[in-house]
Amino acid sequence: VLGNKCKAEDTVGYNRIIQVLANEYSEFKNCVCIKDINITTLLGKQCSINKDSISMETKLQWGLSALSKQAYARNRTCLDVNKECVEDEVCNKQLSLYLKVCSVKKCNMEECQAAIKFLYENMPFEVAQMMIFCDCIQHDESCHRAKELLHGKPCAVTAVPPPSCLTVVHMCEESELCRKKYTTFQSKCWRHVTKKCYDNEACLETLIKDDMPCSANADCKAAYVSNWGTMLHMECTCHNLPPEEQSLCKLFHHMLHSKSCFS
């Protein structure tokens, strides 16, 4: 029931929840649903309103979502993905919260970034991956609008004027949470770069971005998805930088925004 996270309307609802729990956690296999029982009795302290319980609740909801079971299919356009999310009750609910923050005329970048971070952190990785890595053919305007919608533009990623990629990385390194995500992203996607140069920028400058293969595995994709909603997701530029900073900036831009890793 909306507004009451610990109450379901009927025994059918309970049974669906218990079925998801039983499938996911062995300790729930002997649970049965009886009339008038409060779900707090079943979940105990986990049903209090805190971050962990919300994660549990979200996990239960996605367990009942048809979209999370179809997310392995490939070759969907962003328009297809957008339509499927809107038609799915669980996905639509989360997408609506994000659009409420990010689609207003006077959009606050930090609030929108937080909303896109919450959106993609609170859905199964398969669904997040499907939405983040969707694409469009060149002249399909409807698809490109759907892509912009799903990918947080312009509010979550576009600052005026755009920051340099050097500034973005240095700002990220000053934040403990962002630095942790960036370090994970480097180690999962660009390990040969960090292994060779660590954080030595003079060493990094010597690398040629076109010869930088990315690991492109599932861990790398998960690390890339985790960057969404942080400053690492922002569009950055290398224009107007002095020549001596260009090569390092272009390297950072390639690492943060190159889709060659996931094409």
Side-chain angles (χ1 to χ4, degrees), residues 164-183:
S164 79
C165 299
L166 293 177
T167 300
V168 167
V169 170
H170 292 157
M171 282 174 60
C172 177
E173 288 174 337
E174 290 173 8
S175 159
E176 185 179 353
L177 180 63
C178 189
R179 183 173 65 249
K180 188 176 179 181
K181 287 180 179 290
Y182 180 56
T183 302

Side-chain angles (χ1 to χ4, degrees), residues 22-261:
N23 291 340
E24 196 76 25
Y25 305 101
S26 58
E27 58 267 36
F28 286 101
K29 287 206 181 297
N30 294 322
C31 274
V32 292
C33 186
I34 57 174
K35 199 171 184 179
D36 298 328
I37 192 170
N38 189 304
I39 199 166
T40 309
T41 311
L42 295 173
L43 298 181
K45 292 178 182 177
Q46 290 180 339
C47 207
S48 60
I49 308 304
N50 57 39
K51 190 174 185 300
D52 292 336
S53 69
I54 291 169
S55 297
M56 167 68 88
E57 182 196 13
T58 304
K59 191 166 188 177
L60 292 177
Q61 289 175 344
W62 276 107
L64 305 174
S65 163
L67 184 63
S68 62
K69 298 172 178 63
Q70 300 166 6
Y72 298 97
R74 292 188 164 192
N75 300 323
R76 286 186 179 103
T77 68
C78 291
L79 189 60
D80 295 332
V81 171
N82 189 39
K83 183 172 179 286
E84 288 171 25
C85 180
V86 168
E87 290 174 352
D88 182 87
E89 186 179 354
V90 182
C91 192
N92 191 358
K93 183 180 175 184
Q94 287 192 211
L95 186 65
S96 298
L97 290 172
Y98 150 66
L99 293 178
K100 187 177 180 181
V101 175
C102 297
S103 293
V104 294
K105 286 186 178 179
K106 291 185 178 178
C107 177
N108 180 294
M109 176 182 267
E110 289 185 3
E111 288 179 2
C112 183
Q113 285 178 335
I116 201 168
K117 181 173 182 286
F118 182 84
L119 172 69
Y120 287 115
E121 280 186 352
N122 283 277
M123 58 174 58
F125 174 63
E126 292 81 7
V127 181
Q129 181 177 243
M130 177 183 75
M131 293 170 73
I132 284 175
F133 297 117
C134 72
D135 214 337
C136 304
I137 58 172
Q138 192 171 359
H139 300 296
D140 188 340
E141 289 186 16
S142 297
C143 183
H144 282 285
R145 282 197 298 272
K147 182 178 180 180
E148 189 169 284
L149 192 77
L150 294 173
H151 292 182
K153 292 184 179 181
C155 183
V157 295
T158 309
V160 180
S164 79
C165 299
L166 293 177
T167 300
V168 167
V169 170
H170 292 157
M171 282 174 60
C172 177
E173 288 174 337
E174 290 173 8
S175 159
E176 185 179 353
L177 180 63
C178 189
R179 183 173 65 249
K180 188 176 179 181
K181 287 180 179 290
Y182 180 56
T183 302
T184 302
F185 174 64
Q186 282 185 310
S187 66
K188 300 299 183 186
C189 294
W190 308 100
R191 190 177 176 195
H192 64 287
V193 176
T194 54
K195 188 177 179 182
K196 183 178 179 182
C197 294
Y198 300 98
D199 293 326
N200 186 326
E201 292 190 351
C203 173
L204 288 169
E205 280 183 40
T206 65
L207 299 174
I208 302 169
K209 65 181 178 63
D210 295 333
D211 293 330
M212 284 177 53
C214 160
S215 62
N217 56 23
D219 286 343
C220 170
K221 287 183 178 181
Y224 177 76
V225 168
S226 183
N227 287 347
W228 281 48
T230 72
M231 60 190 77
L232 296 172
H233 180 214
M234 288 176 64
E235 291 181 347
C236 60
T237 182
C238 296
H239 294 314
N240 304 321
L241 286 178
E244 63 271 19
E245 294 181 352
Q246 285 287 335
S247 56
L248 182 61
C249 181
K250 287 178 179 176
L251 183 80
F252 284 155
H253 187 277
H254 179 78
M255 289 171 68
L256 293 175
H257 297 293
S258 171
K259 285 288 178 19
S260 61
C261 204

